[in-house]
Amino acid sequence: MSKTRSVRVMAPGKINVSFRMGPPRPDGYHSVASVYLAVSLYEEVTATRRDDDQVTVSVRNGSPLPLDVDDIPLDSSNLAVKAAELMRSMTARSTGVHLDIVKRVPIAGGMGGGSADAAAALVACSALWDTGFSRDELVRIAADLGADVPFALLGGVAVGLGVGDQLTPALARRDLHWVLVPASFGLSTPKVYATADRLREEAGFTATDPDNVDPRILKAMHAGDVDSLANALGNDLQAASIELAPELADILDLGIAEGALAGLVSGSGPTLAFLAADRLDAEELSQRLSDVAGVAALAVHGPVHGARIMA
């Protein structure tokens, strides 16, 4: 057995650069077609061996933004704890483990922060217990924890089909620069989906299962053409997120007025993502949004690597 006492892993949050959704399925989920982009806002999980057989967890805010970590569960419902328990069930060399999570991705913000925690916990516990699992094997294991967990393991850019778990890597020729505006509140993902279904029904819109993403998105990302990408961004959940939190529309308008090439709700929201022309423009836009509207804003870039051992 490995004598390692602790392993520290970082895993990225993500932006849904494009998001299409189908009608509700019999299992309660929705088929989707999305382009995921891993961005430079990382969750950090340190797994430390315990002398008993318990799996425990602590959570801290590592962001300059106020994140309400007090609402994050510290029991078996925490996705990182589920990841550790799943990994432990698959190796005879496991021990108790304490997971210390440093949060930087907005909570309930549509950026997959909880999934990044789970991905980091999988990698950390696999290394701590010397399981020998390959990255591909970990990705398959991660699928049992939720649709976004495999992508947090892989990072980069990927097309997600099915419920978002059928991943195909894609290529971005250059770094894409964004400004994130987190909200001071979260949105329930199931409630956003239910609202989207209701809005479609009220509009008489009959949805069909999407079988691919908008090809303009992949073409623009492959070419590094931010202007074309700006014209192709889209999110089928955006109207529902704005219905539930109308103030998001005002901030979207403000971001465009202050120079963003485009803006959208990331995933189920309420985090907003604004596309900038380059790193300098992103930093300046972030500053202007803070100065003009008094909103918290962060400049990030992507694609970045997936879950990675740091120490």
Side-chain angles (χ1 to χ4, degrees):
M1 180 186 291
S2 167
K3 297 300 183 183
T4 302
R5 288 294 300 175
S6 66
V7 179
R8 181 166 61 92
V9 175
M10 298 181 77
K14 53 88 177 164
I15 294 172
N16 292 84
V17 178
S18 174
F19 191 89
R20 291 173 165 175
M21 61 171 276
R25 306 189 323 184
D27 62 6
Y29 290 96
H30 295 70
S31 294
V32 305
S34 183
V35 178
Y36 300 124
L37 174 69
V39 296
S40 57
L41 194 60
Y42 300 95
E43 299 284 89
E44 182 178 327
V45 176
T46 300
T48 301
R49 191 185 304 275
R50 289 178 57 103
D51 294 328
D52 55 25
D53 63 352
Q54 299 298 305
V55 177
T56 56
V57 62
S58 56
V59 183
R60 296 180 284 138
N61 179 15
S63 170
L65 306 178
L67 301 181
D68 192 3
V69 298
D70 292 340
D71 289 340
I72 295 176
L74 302 179
D75 56 18
S76 59
S77 65
N78 185 293
L79 200 56
V81 173
K82 290 181 179 180
E85 293 281 14
L86 179 59
M87 183 58 59
R88 188 161 70 164
S89 72
M90 305 182 76
T91 177
R93 296 189 296 273
S94 64
T95 64
V97 65
H98 178 74
L99 304 173
D100 180 59
I101 301 175
V102 180
K103 297 289 295 181
R104 297 186 182 91
V105 177
I107 298 165
M111 290 189 64
S115 296
D117 294 338
L122 277 181
V123 172
C125 290
S126 180
L128 186 72
W129 297 327
D130 196 20
T131 67
F133 287 128
S134 69
R135 178 68 53 143
D136 287 345
E137 287 170 326
L138 288 175
V139 168
R140 287 193 289 272
I141 293 168
D144 289 339
L145 294 165
D148 286 346
V149 183
F151 178 70
L153 265 164
L154 293 171
V157 182
V159 173
L161 300 177
V163 293
D165 59 332
Q166 300 171 23
L167 297 175
T168 303
L171 182 65
R173 288 284 185 191
R174 53 174 282 193
D175 271 354
L176 299 169
H177 294 272
W178 303 79
V179 173
L180 303 178
V181 177
S184 59
F185 55 89
L187 284 177
S188 160
T189 297
K191 190 171 183 179
V192 173
Y193 273 96
T195 302
D197 290 332
R198 175 178 59 78
L199 291 176
R200 284 177 165 181
E201 183 177 351
E202 291 172 355
F205 177 77
T206 301
T208 58
D209 286 335
D211 57 7
N212 213 335
V213 299
D214 186 340
R216 296 178 301 159
I217 293 280
L218 296 180
K219 183 178 179 181
M221 295 181 76
H222 185 268
D225 184 346
V226 291
D227 292 315
S228 294
L229 180 61
N231 291 326
L233 298 181
N235 179 4
D236 284 353
L237 293 175
Q238 181 160 308
S241 298
I242 291 174
E243 169 99 351
L244 294 169
E247 59 267 38
L248 297 179
D250 295 333
I251 301 174
L252 280 170
D253 290 343
L254 176 64
I256 300 301
E258 290 298 325
L261 298 179
L264 81 169
V265 174
S266 179
S268 58
T271 303
L272 303 179
F274 294 99
L275 179 63
D278 53 34
R279 179 183 61 81
L280 182 59
D281 278 6
E283 291 173 352
E284 291 178 347
L285 174 60
S286 174
Q287 190 62 52
R288 286 197 299 274
L289 287 173
S290 298
D291 292 344
V292 172
V295 298
L298 293 170
V300 299
H301 67 273
V304 298
H305 60 78
R308 176 180 292 181
I309 294 174
M310 305 305 293

